[in-house]
Amino acid sequence: MASGELVPDDIMTELVRARLTETDCLMNGWVLDSFPKTLGQAYALKHHRIIPTHVFFLEAGDALVYERLEQRRLDPVTGQYHNVFDVSLEEEVKERLVQLPEDTHDIAKKRLQGYKDGYTKLQAEYARISHNLKAEMDLNLITEMMGDAIEN
């Protein structure tokens, strides 16, 4: 990952498959964030009869993607991500934030190109159940739009 390569499809798919077949997911449903990333992963989910009811594609220009990744930091204590410019963070938290290697511009550029290469194929695979949303919209609005799509 630090070099910009993705975890192999078979490993990722098996991890996701194992989790989604646990009782709580079977009873309550599930939400995947940034998965599947490849057509191979999408086909593997289908092979395991794991079929999403809705797929949301957040569309963002390259500049926004780079900005968000380059400003993202991880708190190694809590495992939570924060924006480096978040003024509401306590000083103690700010001091321990680290930038992951995969969030640098060069690695982000490589990963973004890989994403673009497969994006059209994923959209075609999920055309009947997909929704495209602009990533620069307010987070609350995006959440509301997703909720409305799921309920209708």
Side-chain angles (χ1 to χ4, degrees), residues 51-119:
I51 312 295
T53 56
H54 298 276
V55 175
F56 296 93
F57 291 99
L58 292 177
E59 298 175 341
D62 291 2
L64 181 61
V65 172
Y66 293 135
E67 177 184 314
R68 289 187 178 175
L69 286 176
E70 291 169 8
Q71 293 176 3
R72 182 170 76 169
R73 298 293 185 272
L74 177 69
D75 180 346
V77 174
T78 65
Q80 292 182 326
Y81 286 98
H82 299 279
N83 184 295
V84 71
F85 297 117
D86 183 351
V87 294
S88 68
L89 285 176
E90 297 176 10
E91 201 58 40
E92 176 185 339
V93 175
K94 285 182 185 179
E95 290 175 5
R96 67 180 183 237
L97 295 178
V98 295
Q99 183 179 32
L100 298 177
E102 61 264 26
D103 289 346
T104 61
H105 186 85
D106 289 341
I107 300 300
K109 184 176 182 179
K110 182 177 181 178
R111 293 181 74 189
L112 182 58
Q113 186 56 51
Y115 173 76
K116 287 179 178 182
D117 291 345
Y119 177 74

Side-chain angles (χ1 to χ4, degrees), residues 19-37:
R19 180 64 183 96
L20 296 184
T21 56
E22 291 185 20
T23 304
D24 63 326
C25 291
L26 294 172
M27 295 194 61
N28 302 315
W30 41 267
V31 174
L32 299 176
D33 180 4
S34 300
F35 190 89
K37 282 187 180 353

